Structures are given as structure tokens and as C-alpha cells.
Amino acid sequence: MSLEALYQEVIIEHYRRPQNRGELPNPTASVQLDNPLCGDEITLDLLVEDGVIVDVRFRGQGCSISQASASMMTQAVKGKTVAEADALMQRVQQMLKGEASAGPDLGDLEALQGVAKFPVRIKCALLAWEALDKGVHASGRAEA
Ligand code: ZN
């Protein structure tokens, strides 16, 4: 199997069986974003306590890349500190823009690096991360 086919497989798997799909009963932030270019919609619920992303859920609809990226993102940031999630987000953004290479330490997120070849789909892949960025900082303000 080629690397590209493998990435495709990982994305389709997350699209078909998304992780952390649903909503949280008492989120510290809930962010809704859409990508009109593609018709993707994401609503992200976050529970941030003492600077740690204790729980995260998403719901929405759209293309396989937007939904798979949201599933992978929630899987990757759950249990991490806001600072760790910020660092991971920057790395994924750089990878999607082709400015940094992926590494096996990214886990399933590595599969998104294939998206860098399709500039119109980068917005799809980043939608969930933009929601995360807004959400963690909104949660921070609520605590302060
Ligand atoms: Zn899309």
C-alpha cells in the first residue's frame, strides 16, 4: 500500500467512525464555525479546567477531511494542557502549509499531511483547529 493510500485509509476511518462525537453537558466553551467554500460545519464543545483540556466533543457535517480532522484533533488534544494543544496546533498548521514535515509522533494526524498538496482543502482540515483555538482561549477568559 502506498503512503498516500494509507493516509486516505486513516482519514476515511475517522470519517466513518469519528472519535469524541457528540456534545458536552457543561462545556466551558462551545464554538461553531463553518467553511462556506466547502459547506463544512463544526461545533466544538470544550471542558477546560486548570489549563487542561479535560474533555472535548464535536459535531457537524461536511467533507471527509473536515470531519476526520475534527475527530483526530479531539483525540490528540484530550487530556493535554492548553499550551501543549497550542504547540500541536501550530505544528499541524505548518504541516498543512507544507512548511514543516510530519513525524510519527503526530499519530493519526500525520495522515493530514497529504492535504498540503490540495490548497483548497487546507481550510477544511484547519476548521476544527480554528474552533479549538477560539474555544481554549474563550475558556481561559471565563476562568479569569
Ligand atoms: Zn471540506
Side-chain angles (χ1 to χ4, degrees):
M1 190 185 281
S2 74
L3 201 56
E4 250 166 73
L6 182 69
Y7 290 157
Q8 202 68 35
E9 192 99 327
V10 173
I11 288 171
I12 288 168
E13 184 62 24
H14 272 276
Y15 179 60
R16 288 198 183 133
R17 278 184 278 275
Q19 306 292 308
N20 304 304
R21 197 173 169 86
E23 48 192 297
L24 292 178
N26 296 303
T28 48
S30 185
V31 179
Q32 199 202 338
L33 284 181
D34 61 6
N35 170 20
L37 289 175
C38 184
D40 307 317
E41 296 172 7
I42 294 275
T43 301
L44 189 72
D45 286 355
L46 284 162
L47 181 63
V48 179
E49 283 173 356
D50 300 326
V52 175
I53 301 169
V54 176
D55 209 352
V56 53
R57 299 269 170 86
F58 84 99
R59 55 205 178 275
Q61 55 189 2
C63 70
S64 57
I65 290 174
S66 69
Q67 303 301 307
S69 180
S71 170
M72 292 177 192
M73 181 277 286
T74 59
Q75 193 178 43
V77 303
K78 193 170 170 176
K80 283 199 164 61
T81 66
V82 169
E84 285 168 341
D86 267 338
L88 186 61
M89 177 166 54
Q90 281 176 20
R91 190 142 169 238
V92 170
Q93 280 172 341
Q94 286 173 346
M95 178 182 81
L96 287 168
K97 290 174 185 161
E99 292 165 1
S101 57
D105 57 309
L106 283 177
D108 286 355
L109 288 167
E110 197 183 4
L112 289 175
Q113 72 173 298
V115 177
K117 291 187 201 127
F118 307 97
V120 294
R121 311 308 297 279
I122 292 175
K123 178 84 181 155
C124 303
L126 282 179
L127 191 64
W129 293 90
E130 284 169 16
L132 173 71
D133 192 31
K134 284 194 162 65
V136 289
H137 296 109
S139 294
R141 277 199 299 277
E143 277 171 25

